[in-house]
Amino acid sequence: MSTDIHADERVVEEQAHLDLVYARLDRMRANTERRLSSTLRETGGTPQARSERESYERMYTDDLTKFDAAEHNLYFGRLDLDDGEVRRIGRIGVLDDDATDTTLLLDWRAPLSRPFYLATPAAPEDVDRRRHIRTRSRHVRAVNDEFLTLGDASPDDVGHGDVVNENALVAALNAARTGEMTDIVETIQREQDLIIRSAHRGVTVIQGGPGTGKTAVALHRAAYLLYTHRDILSRSGILIIGPNDDFLTYIGQVLPSLGESGVLLSTIGNLYPGVHATAEESRATAAIKGSLRMVDVLKRAVRARESLPTKPVPVDFDTYQVTIDSALIKAARTKARGSRRAHNLAQRAFLRAALDGLAQAHARSIGSSLLDGSQLLSANDIADIRDEMSHDADIRRALLQYWPTLTPQTLLRELFADPTAIRKATPGWSEADRDALQRDPIVSGDDDLTPADVPLLDELAELIGYGTDDAERAERARWRRQLADAQDALDILTGSAPQDLEDELDPEILMAYDLIDAEQLAARQTETQRLTTAERAHGDRNWAFGHVIVDEAQELSAMAWRMVMRRIPNRWMTIIGDTAQTGDLAGTRSWDEVLSPYVAQRWQLRQLTVNYRTPAEIMVYATRVLARIGAEQDAPTSLRSNGFEPLAIGSDVRERARTAFATAERPELTGLTAIIVPDRLHDDFVTAAKEFDSSPRVLTVGACKGLEFDNIVVVEPSQIVDQSPRGYSDLYVALTRATQRLFVVHAEELPEELGDMTQAAPDS
């Protein structure tokens, strides 16, 4: 096709884009806003009308949010079928609001859109031509055509292989990074689409090397599932777990750009309600906390709080004195443990049994002191004594010190702060492992909590029943109090009206109690705004999600997996990772090892094999490191070569930081650049960045998980290898973050796998 014809086609597509899509979209937005304003005016003061108004407001606001979020490159593709049908593909579906409801845009997730991603010359799916339209704001910047059947096209115009939208894909890959992940909705490839639209309702593991688009596929799968199963997932929600806060920020705009919101994004450190764990600890300590040995440790810590008195404890009751001894508490403890309930939930059984034993002992004591020495109190008398004791604060306090109400944070802190408690909870452990758990407590807040602590808190919550039935009872009690307060408020309003109200006031005048009852008033006080599914799920530890996606899943410890699985009882999950990149000592090298305890063999593995991110020049070295790791999987095949050979830059130790920052700020580099350093050099380099007034980010390997940059400077790869038993996996991650250029700055000898890297002077 000639250049002039392409120019004409571009003008046509631009006119279609502006007139057919955005003009209609603007009108639909205006109509939505007009209907919302009309509804707000028309709905009056009754509770039912206000509820209806709020429902309309949420619905219309959601519509407007979707249009705004999807506006960037809303219309990106077109299919010309061999029967003459034309399908226009967009981020969201758009219907003309006339009586015919004509489809202006097909949602990319709709079944009719699939040929845009699946059609190849070998299997054209009835597609004659696939067109990709690239826009910026509301202007078309490029139009690329692929002819999938020869027809009148020249052989050079026909697409090749399994890579679809190849020109658009290469342009997207070569574009500079912005610091936020962009969606791949225009350039989804066949192997990715098959995973995104998988109908499997169990666990799907997406295994792929660096740059294969695992995260993008998972996010687009979330959008697809919300589109296909909205009736289920709009109520239960989708949880996406990422490796760190930077990663969540990086991916945060992908789903909104696809017209979806309300998905909960979280790290393991944030997954327990009310906790944001960011404190640091050694890798060895995190590995110990992540092991399944901790389940028994925590069980013993809870049982240690179900104690016995070391000597009889006298307590005043009425005009008598009763005694709490070891036999009484042991019998009550046996009853409570026999209930098979969690600690806090079994407290009622303990207290009931202890009070019963104490009342009977007191009755025997009273009976033996009577004049005839033989009269016994009746069962009703004993019941009265037990009831009276249950309301005696001193007796309750004395009994409950042997079965106290526990909270996860307090119990965990007290355990780790007490060497004796640690020793009792860890029989058979080495002293080194015990010492690794110990730390000083803090006065308040969660500043001492690490991400590895959070699964332990969740495990303790299960063991003690925290945030379950006891919390529900407390919430019901709180609601009853609020309901009573609301009724009191209405009574005051009613009582303040004149006694002869009916005679003196117009009967059409409505008072507060005519418009709202106590329950509605209490609800208004409690719920000042309607929470989204994600917001409600975030605050509820027992929320059951409809689907869970775990990214960088190879890093999760066994304890973290227990925590995640509690959130997804239906086991409908998408797990993304690469076991060759496992850097966490508590992480996994085997998906079967992770999943067998929960789903046995009922899971499927899907592989991604094409590396879209990392140029072939960099993958030469990354592949050698992968071989050193000994991973079973092959390195992914790089889609492109950019001609930039990685460079190794030697430096003196004293000039190492200066050399790294100077390299990161070379004038020929474009886009985002990051410096990846060994853990022990991180603080020094952060300080140096301020000294040199340098803008490139300084990251450890753990912090750069899941991220990508145009250019990467890796500092002292030998130290990265040596800092952990899984150091080569860390180096593999570090080398594969770049989309364009890789530099290695070193004062120490390079690892063998990088030994022949082209050397360059610091100022070259």
Side-chain angles (χ1 to χ4, degrees):
M1 186 176 289
S2 70
T3 303
D4 289 340
I5 294 177
H6 252 311
D8 292 342
E9 286 289 329
R10 187 176 295 112
V11 171
V12 171
E13 290 293 348
E14 182 158 5
Q15 290 300 315
H17 175 70
L18 291 172
D19 296 339
L20 291 181
V21 178
Y22 273 107
R24 286 294 185 186
L25 181 60
D26 288 341
R27 192 170 75 192
M28 292 175 71
R29 180 182 285 109
N31 289 344
T32 297
E33 291 172 337
R34 185 171 60 253
R35 289 197 301 270
L36 175 57
S37 299
S38 175
T39 302
L40 294 176
R41 287 195 306 271
E42 293 173 2
T43 53
T46 67
Q48 181 178 358
R50 284 197 299 273
S51 176
E52 181 180 356
R53 180 189 66 188
E54 291 169 358
S55 176
Y56 278 118
E57 184 177 8
R58 288 193 302 276
M59 181 176 67
Y60 293 149
T61 301
D62 288 347
D63 285 345
L64 293 174
T65 301
K66 286 184 178 181
F67 288 141
D68 290 336
E71 183 167 314
H72 172 67
N73 210 11
L74 175 66
Y75 169 31
F76 61 80
R78 168 174 152 172
L79 292 173
D80 295 353
L81 304 189
D82 53 19
D83 63 359
E85 180 186 356
V86 174
R87 299 176 187 170
R88 292 181 171 85
I89 316 297
R91 275 180 162 72
I92 60 174
V94 178
L95 298 177
D96 195 335
D97 58 353
D98 60 18
T100 62
D101 278 343
T102 305
T103 299
L104 299 177
L105 278 182
L106 277 170
D107 192 297
W108 67 275
R109 296 164 288 190
L112 290 177
S113 299
R114 287 206 76 179
F116 188 77
Y117 303 109
L118 297 184
T120 66
E125 304 269 348
D126 299 325
V127 176
D128 179 56
R129 178 175 64 178
R130 172 172 44 224
R131 169 165 292 175
H132 188 89
I133 304 112
R134 295 201 298 278
T135 63
R136 181 178 301 165
S137 184
R138 299 191 178 192
H139 300 282
V140 174
R141 299 300 182 186
V143 175
N144 297 113
D145 283 346
E146 290 177 273
F147 290 89
L148 302 183
T149 55
L150 191 59
D152 296 330
S154 69
D156 292 338
D157 290 329
V158 179
H160 299 86
D162 286 335
V163 177
V164 300
N165 307 327
E166 186 168 356
N167 291 334
L169 175 61
V170 172
L173 296 177
N174 286 328
R177 308 300 101 175
T178 65
E180 290 184 346
M181 186 178 187
T182 56
D183 61 68
I184 59 168
V185 64
E186 305 101 320
T187 57
I188 293 171
Q189 300 303 300
R190 184 183 184 90
E191 71 171 3
Q192 297 172 328
D193 187 81
L194 293 173
I195 297 172
I196 290 170
R197 300 177 195 257
S198 171
H200 184 60
R201 289 295 292 266
V203 176
T204 297
V205 176
I206 304 175
Q207 167 81 34
T212 52
K214 299 184 296 297
T215 298
V217 168
L219 294 174
H220 287 70
R221 177 159 172 75
Y224 173 76
L225 293 176
L226 284 166
Y227 175 85
T228 308
H229 304 282
R230 191 170 300 278
D231 56 333
I232 298 172
L233 296 178
S234 63
R235 296 191 303 270
S236 57
I238 291 181
L239 168 65
I240 298 179
I241 299 174
N244 51 58
D245 290 334
D246 285 344
F247 174 82
L248 298 185
T249 301
Y250 176 61
I251 68 171
Q253 292 304 309
V254 173
L255 285 169
S257 75
L258 299 174
E260 296 296 349
S261 59
V263 174
L264 179 61
L265 305 180
S266 180
T267 64
I268 288 295
N270 300 342
L271 195 52
Y272 188 91
V275 170
H276 183 64
T278 58
E280 297 181 355
E281 62 190 347
S282 71
R283 295 191 183 204
T285 297
I288 291 171
K289 292 179 179 179
S291 71
L292 290 178
R293 292 190 296 171
M294 290 302 300
V295 175
D296 288 334
V297 171
L298 299 177
K299 286 180 178 178
R300 293 188 187 100
V302 172
R303 286 224 160 188
R305 304 305 296 272
E306 300 165 1
S307 58
L308 298 174
T310 56
K311 61 182 180 180
V313 178
V315 182
D316 291 333
F317 172 66
D318 200 3
T319 59
Y320 300 90
Q321 193 175 73
V322 296
T323 301
I324 299 173
D325 59 19
S326 180
L328 174 78
I329 297 302
K330 183 179 290 186
R333 187 174 69 175
T334 300
K335 283 279 190 181
R337 289 177 174 174
S339 71
R340 302 291 184 182
R341 305 198 75 193
H343 173 91
N344 285 357
L345 306 185
Q347 188 185 76
R348 293 178 65 191
F350 170 83
L351 191 58
R352 185 167 53 247
L355 288 170
D356 188 63
L358 198 61
Q360 291 189 41
H362 183 54
R364 287 193 298 270
S365 176
I366 293 175
S368 65
S369 67
L370 294 177
L371 291 178
D372 61 7
S374 61
Q375 183 168 345
L376 298 177
L377 299 184
S378 68
N380 288 337
D381 293 330
I382 295 175
D384 290 341
I385 293 172
R386 183 173 58 243
D387 184 62
E388 190 175 350
M389 285 182 171
S390 70
H391 292 87
D392 189 298
D394 291 337
I395 289 180
R396 290 178 63 91
R397 189 181 306 111
L399 291 173
L400 290 180
Q401 66 179 310
Y402 304 108
W403 197 287
T405 299
L406 302 177
T407 63
Q409 283 98 323
T410 300
L411 183 56
L412 192 68
R413 285 196 178 97
E414 291 177 350
L415 171 65
F416 289 162
D418 186 350
T420 301
I422 292 175
R423 188 175 299 107
K424 289 180 179 178
T426 56
W429 281 39
S430 69
E431 287 302 318
D433 286 354
R434 288 171 177 161
D435 291 343
L437 292 181
Q438 187 177 345
R439 68 168 179 238
D440 294 331
I442 63 169
V443 177
S444 63
D446 291 331
D447 292 343
D448 62 333
L449 292 177
T450 70
D453 288 329
V454 175
L456 306 185
L457 293 177
D458 201 64
E459 192 74 29
L460 283 172
E462 287 291 305
L463 293 172
I464 67 178
Y466 185 79
T468 52
D469 291 352
D470 57 339
E472 292 172 8
R473 286 197 301 272
E475 176 63 19
R476 287 195 296 270
R478 185 202 61 78
W479 172 253
R480 286 194 295 270
R481 290 193 300 272
Q482 190 142 6
L483 191 60
D485 292 343
Q487 185 62 60
D488 289 344
L490 288 176
D491 290 344
I492 292 171
L493 289 173
T494 303
S496 65
Q499 295 298 315
D500 53 353
L501 179 67
E502 293 184 1
D503 297 330
E504 295 188 6
L505 296 182
D506 188 332
E508 296 298 320
I509 296 178
L510 299 177
M511 299 299 289
Y513 45 80
D514 294 315
L515 299 177
I516 192 169
D517 60 23
E519 186 170 355
Q520 292 166 330
L521 179 58
R524 290 298 176 86
Q525 293 172 332
T526 301
E527 189 176 1
T528 57
Q529 61 179 357
R530 191 170 185 87
L531 299 179
T532 66
T533 298
E535 289 168 336
R536 286 183 284 122
H538 182 63
D540 185 353
R541 193 186 69 83
N542 298 294
W543 188 274
F545 288 92
H547 191 82
V548 169
I549 295 173
V550 186
D551 206 342
E552 299 293 341
Q554 74 278 353
E555 302 298 327
L556 267 62
S557 69
M559 292 300 294
W561 279 113
R562 287 172 67 88
M563 183 182 191
V564 171
M565 290 299 179
R566 292 187 189 107
R567 271 75 179 164
I568 186 70
N570 68 6
R571 301 294 192 259
W572 189 15
M573 306 177 70
T574 302
I575 294 172
I576 309 103
D578 177 14
T579 52
Q581 297 184 59
T582 305
D584 196 306
L585 298 182
T588 185
R589 298 280 196 187
S590 166
W591 298 121
D592 186 62
E593 177 183 312
V594 166
L595 297 174
S596 290
Y598 304 103
V599 295
Q601 301 301 314
R602 300 185 303 277
W603 57 278
Q604 65 171 3
L605 177 67
R606 308 296 292 269
Q607 299 269 8
L608 293 173
T609 59
V610 178
N611 188 336
Y612 302 98
R613 175 203 301 150
T614 316
E617 289 82 355
I618 297 176
M619 280 306 298
V620 168
Y621 299 97
T623 301
R624 295 176 185 172
V625 175
L626 179 63
R628 181 64 178 263
I629 295 169
E632 295 180 358
Q633 62 268 32
D634 296 328
T637 302
S638 291
L639 181 68
R640 64 199 171 97
S641 174
N642 63 4
F644 296 123
E645 288 294 332
L647 298 178
I649 302 172
S651 173
D652 182 83
V653 171
R654 291 169 297 181
E655 294 295 317
R656 185 172 51 198
R658 185 183 299 277
T659 300
F661 286 111
T663 301
E665 294 180 334
R666 288 187 173 202
E668 70 269 23
L669 300 185
T670 59
L672 294 180
T673 300
I675 299 174
I676 301 178
V677 300
D679 294 350
R680 73 181 189 87
L681 295 183
H682 178 261
D683 291 346
D684 291 342
F685 268 69
V686 169
T687 301
K690 298 175 183 177
E691 178 185 343
F692 300 142
D693 193 24
S694 185
S695 59
R697 295 185 61 186
V698 176
L699 300 169
T700 63
V701 175
C704 74
K705 290 273 184 178
L707 305 181
E708 65 180 17
F709 302 88
D710 297 278
N711 314 293
I712 287 294
V713 179
V714 178
V715 176
E716 297 295 6
S718 292
Q719 288 191 26
I720 292 177
V721 169
D722 293 340
Q723 72 185 6
S724 164
R726 292 181 171 176
Y728 275 100
S729 291
D730 288 342
L731 181 58
Y732 185 53
V733 171
L735 295 176
T736 54
R737 298 305 96 193
T739 66
Q740 300 296 337
R741 303 285 297 270
L742 168 67
F743 302 90
V744 173
V745 172
H746 65 103
E748 300 179 9
E749 185 177 353
L750 290 174
E752 179 183 350
E753 292 74 18
L754 310 184
D756 62 347
M757 188 176 287
T758 302
Q759 293 288 326
D763 57 350
S764 63

